[in-house]
Amino acid sequence: MCVFEKTCGLGLALEHNGDLYTCDHFVEPAYLLGNILETPLVELVLSDKQRNFGLAKQGSLPAVCLDCKVLFACQGECPKNRFMKTAGGEPGLNYLCDGWRHFFEHSYEHMNTIGSLLRSGHSAAEIMKKSNSWR
């Protein structure tokens, strides 16, 4: 899912008239890359505007996110959801932050176990045998 990617820019939106936007969550004038009837698609996708849009995902995170132990998993989630302020008043906090942090902290051990199973050539389903011992 693009919301958990380190950068944005993989979910472009193409309108019926040929207008191409940086993301399907940002179909508004400021995020218009151009029109594919006037400019080749590849040129728009590889444009500085699109690249900068993607990089802004990490560059706009509040300090509390940069220090979070589950940032590796959520990556700040989708910028469209970053309309809250941190406890210190810094803008840009994702309104789903508390829920995602709880989920990733809770599932961390299980995800590591699944990773170990897969790396050792086992099926991820084998975690069910192990998970019975965790209850």
Side-chain angles (χ1 to χ4, degrees):
M1 293 177 53
C2 67
V3 297
F4 299 128
E5 294 290 332
K6 193 168 188 165
T7 60
C8 285
L10 300 177
L12 295 119
L14 180 63
E15 293 289 291
H16 69 283
N17 65 351
D19 285 348
L20 185 68
Y21 292 86
T22 57
C23 173
D24 64 335
H25 295 294
F26 293 93
V27 180
E28 44 193 271
Y31 299 97
L32 176 65
L33 293 171
N35 189 292
I36 64 168
L37 300 175
E38 301 164 3
T39 308
L41 177 64
V42 69
E43 190 175 318
L44 296 173
V45 171
L46 297 177
S47 69
D48 287 342
K49 185 173 185 176
Q50 181 65 3
R51 186 174 19 269
N52 291 336
F53 171 79
L55 294 173
K57 181 175 182 177
Q58 288 296 308
S60 62
L61 286 170
V64 69
C65 293
L66 297 174
D67 293 333
C68 181
K69 67 180 181 179
V70 298
L71 177 62
F72 76 94
C74 82
Q75 301 297 337
E77 217 250 4
C78 183
K80 76 174 171 60
N81 295 329
R82 295 182 186 173
F83 51 82
M84 302 294 288
K85 290 187 177 182
T86 66
E90 190 178 2
L93 183 67
N94 193 300
Y95 86 100
L96 300 169
C97 177
D98 286 339
W100 284 125
R101 186 174 55 251
H102 179 75
F103 171 76
F104 287 121
E105 286 174 354
H106 173 77
S107 61
Y108 184 80
E109 183 181 344
H110 306 299
M111 294 296 187
N112 275 337
T113 301
I114 289 172
S116 294
L117 286 168
L118 293 172
R119 282 189 296 278
S120 64
H122 296 278
S123 166
E126 290 185 36
I127 193 169
M128 298 311 292
K129 296 174 190 170
K130 294 181 178 293
S131 68
N132 289 331
S133 65
W134 291 332
R135 293 181 188 173

